[in-house]
Amino acid sequence: MNRVRMYINGNFVESGGKAWLPVYDPSTEEVIAEVPDSIAADVDLAVKAARAAFDQGAWPQTTPQDRGRLLFKLADVIRRQSAQLAELESRNTGKPIVEAEFDVTDTATCFEYYGGIATKIMGYVNPVPDNALSLSLREPVGVAGQIIPWNYPLLMAAWKLAPALAAGCTCVLKPAEQTPLTILELAGSFQEIGFPPGVINIVTGFGDTAGAPIVAHPDVDKVAFTGSAAVGKLILRSAADSIKRVALELGGKSPNIFFADSDFEAAVDGALFGVFINQGEVCSAGSRILVERSIYSKFVDAMVEKTRTIKLGPPLSRDTKMGPLVSKEQYERVRSYQEIGKGEARLVAGGGRLQSADRGYYVEPTIFADVNNNHRIAREEVFGPVAAVIPFEGETEAIRIANDTPYGLAAAVWSRDIFRALRVVKAVRAGIVWVNHMQPTYVEAPWGGYKQSGFGRELGPWGIEEYLETKQVHINLSEQPIGWY
Ligand code: NAP
Ligand code: MG
């Protein structure tokens, strides 16, 4: 068996508990590797290493330039190994190879962006009304605990590691139990690039046995989490015990809103792209498709027609547009929502397992029409290729339905009327709003949600703020006694 060890304090190690967990290829359902099934004692070693690296040794002595250069070197390694990394990502997640290649490029770009930003972290001179110099210094927050999901494994690792390292933090990162392989592959280069031991630690394992101890650990200063709202709530509660700083990115039930005056073909295309890209396993998926009544039936028909042309197949095949879901658990979850939907609304496309696949976690891209926004398929995050199409009458109703959700991660609006599009942009309660597009994401622009989609912002200059403390320094310039007593 291909046993891939995890990375703690500069070494590839097994778990102290000696157990291993299987990692699958979801297109064949075969085990392709095993990684350590970590326990709290392993997390403790990783946190101790990160603590020591933050408090002593070479890392606190690095300049912003040094840290920036390390991140550029890491980006170079990723670009050089991009073919292997993309193939491994595709095999482990089931995502089409072409999408995995985009992810790997975005991963390198993310490290480059924060490599550049490392030298642009600036303090402030506070204009205090005294004979004094008052400064605000920016300092790294300390040891960052980082817990990520399985939908964009390497890219999510970069979104967490890059700003933390640029800021001067040290990291303990737990990949999702399903998808630990690409970040462990990359860890093979950390030492050679020049990261001191303990600066980056990758701990594999399950959420309750390896994730929870990171959040609870008293020596972790900050927790950054991307995943489900249910786990986000557990993390927030646990972090309260030691008053940790927390950032949460918790997914959503994002509306993709189509007015009758939008370009019809671009709109239909955008509706499908918004909800089916990456098998629909996207936190910002446009899973509620709101369509103005006057084009509604034509729009639904066109979506159904075009969905028939989506090519499902093996992830490594270059013409595959949709691969299997990431795991058996996720397959069963999505299958159950397909059945729930059948009891609530009108099934117009897909609705089951991909019949032609004799193995692998393949489900059909599925569309429900005539969905009511109160239906479970309109309220609960499916995290798979299941679209809920909801008709609306006019702008006011569109906005009301769009905002009638506990989530607020993303939204999109399609219209050629700039006034209307911008009114909707302002009225929608979401952290990311696209106009006449859905899903493009840039490392230069902020990412994060309103409401129960979490708080904190990743990417751009906002991303690094999450890993910085502010220290106020007051320097007295008067040599006189205070003269109070
Ligand atoms: P999840 O359970 O929220 O997992 C996300 C990460 O948190 C994983 O690394 C997970 O470990 C870890 N975790 C789980 N329980 C934890 C705990 N008590 N303390 C600390 N860490 C913990 O998500 P999932 O199981 O992968 O998927 C379930 C649902 O989450 C999906 O169907 C979807 O609705 C949502 N989701 C959202 C996003 C997003 O980008 N917002 C991404 C993925 C999933 P394990 O790997 O062991 O679970
Ligand atoms: Mg899980």
Side-chain angles (χ1 to χ4, degrees), residues 8 93 102 146 156 173 279 285 311 391 395 402 440:
I8 296 177
T93 59
F102 281 118
Q146 307 177 314
M156 289 299 105
L173 179 130
Q279 297 74 239
K311 188 155 175 13
E395 190 178 317

Side-chain angles (χ1 to χ4, degrees), residues 288-321:
R288 288 186 301 145
I289 298 172
L290 278 49
V291 184
E292 195 160 22
R293 183 79 72 183
S294 61
I295 55 163
Y296 178 75
S297 61
K298 187 175 159 209
F299 198 94
V300 171
D301 290 348
M303 280 180 70
V304 171
E305 186 75 16
K306 200 157 187 177
T307 297
R308 289 204 189 99
T309 68
I310 295 175
K311 188 155 175 13
L312 277 83
L316 290 176
S317 158
R318 297 204 72 82
D319 58 355
T320 289
K321 287 286 161 63

Side-chain angles (χ1 to χ4, degrees), residues 189-447:
S189 302
F190 291 164
Q191 194 129 13
E192 178 193 320
I193 288 167
F195 286 102
V199 170
I200 312 172
N201 304 277
I202 313 293
V203 178
T204 56
F206 293 98
D208 45 358
T209 44
I214 295 177
V215 183
H217 204 293
D219 277 337
V220 171
D221 298 292
K222 189 234 155 76
V223 172
F225 170 78
T226 298
S228 62
V231 174
K233 288 173 194 184
L234 291 177
I235 285 178
L236 203 49
R237 284 197 194 98
S238 166
D241 288 334
S242 47
I243 318 283
K244 282 187 181 64
R245 281 176 58 177
V246 177
L248 301 174
E249 203 274 76
L250 307 178
K253 197 72 196 176
S254 299
N256 198 356
I257 308 167
F258 296 90
F259 287 97
D261 68 351
S262 51
D263 180 287
F264 189 81
E265 247 170 67
V268 170
D269 202 44
L272 299 180
F273 186 82
V275 67
F276 291 152
I277 192 75
N278 204 49
Q279 297 74 239
E281 295 165 325
V282 180
C283 51
S284 57
S287 50
R288 288 186 301 145
I289 298 172
L290 278 49
V291 184
E292 195 160 22
R293 183 79 72 183
S294 61
I295 55 163
Y296 178 75
S297 61
K298 187 175 159 209
F299 198 94
V300 171
D301 290 348
M303 280 180 70
V304 171
E305 186 75 16
K306 200 157 187 177
T307 297
R308 289 204 189 99
T309 68
I310 295 175
K311 188 155 175 13
L312 277 83
L316 290 176
S317 158
R318 297 204 72 82
D319 58 355
T320 289
K321 287 286 161 63
M322 194 181 277
L325 299 177
V326 71
S327 64
K328 184 162 193 280
E329 184 189 358
Q330 195 60 13
Y331 169 83
E332 282 165 3
R333 180 183 165 87
V334 172
R335 285 284 298 113
S336 83
Y337 276 103
Q338 287 174 322
E339 296 311 312
I340 289 167
K342 287 174 194 170
E344 290 182 323
R346 180 165 63 94
L347 178 70
V348 292
R353 177 183 169 75
L354 178 70
Q355 287 307 331
S356 58
D358 53 5
R359 57 186 190 160
Y361 305 121
Y362 290 94
V363 297
E364 297 173 306
T366 296
I367 303 174
F368 290 102
D370 308 348
V371 175
N372 183 302
N373 198 51
N374 295 321
H375 289 155
R376 286 185 64 190
I377 50 165
R379 300 210 80 76
E380 297 170 22
E381 186 176 44
V382 177
F383 227 71
V386 178
V389 192
I390 305 172
F392 70 84
E393 203 86 62
E395 190 178 317
T396 307
E397 192 182 26
I399 292 166
R400 184 188 60 73
I401 297 171
N403 282 335
D404 180 9
T405 168
Y407 290 109
L409 183 59
V413 53
W414 299 68
S415 171
R416 280 185 287 199
D417 178 344
I418 185 77
F419 299 98
R420 173 155 63 193
L422 294 182
R423 283 194 299 271
V424 174
V425 166
K426 283 196 73 178
V428 165
R429 301 267 302 145
I432 304 129
V433 188
W434 289 281
V435 177
N436 295 329
H437 209 325
M438 191 169 209
Q439 301 311 354
T441 302
Y442 303 95
V443 69
E444 296 84 359
W447 185 268

Side-chain angles (χ1 to χ4, degrees), residues 48-112:
K48 283 207 169 82
R51 188 82 252 164
F54 184 78
D55 292 334
Q56 313 141 28
W59 190 244
Q61 312 301 324
T62 55
T63 64
Q65 276 197 353
D66 296 332
R67 295 198 295 273
R69 286 199 190 100
L70 289 172
L71 295 182
F72 289 133
K73 283 191 197 165
L74 187 52
D76 281 346
V77 168
I78 294 165
R79 292 196 189 280
R80 275 205 304 276
Q81 299 181 359
S82 60
Q84 301 104 282
L85 288 170
E87 187 183 322
L88 189 58
E89 193 81 314
S90 175
R91 282 188 75 199
N92 190 185
T93 59
K95 72 170 70 197
I97 182 71
V98 176
E99 290 186 39
E101 287 167 356
F102 281 118
D103 293 358
V104 171
T105 299
D106 286 350
T107 300
T109 305
C110 182
F111 284 112
E112 284 158 359

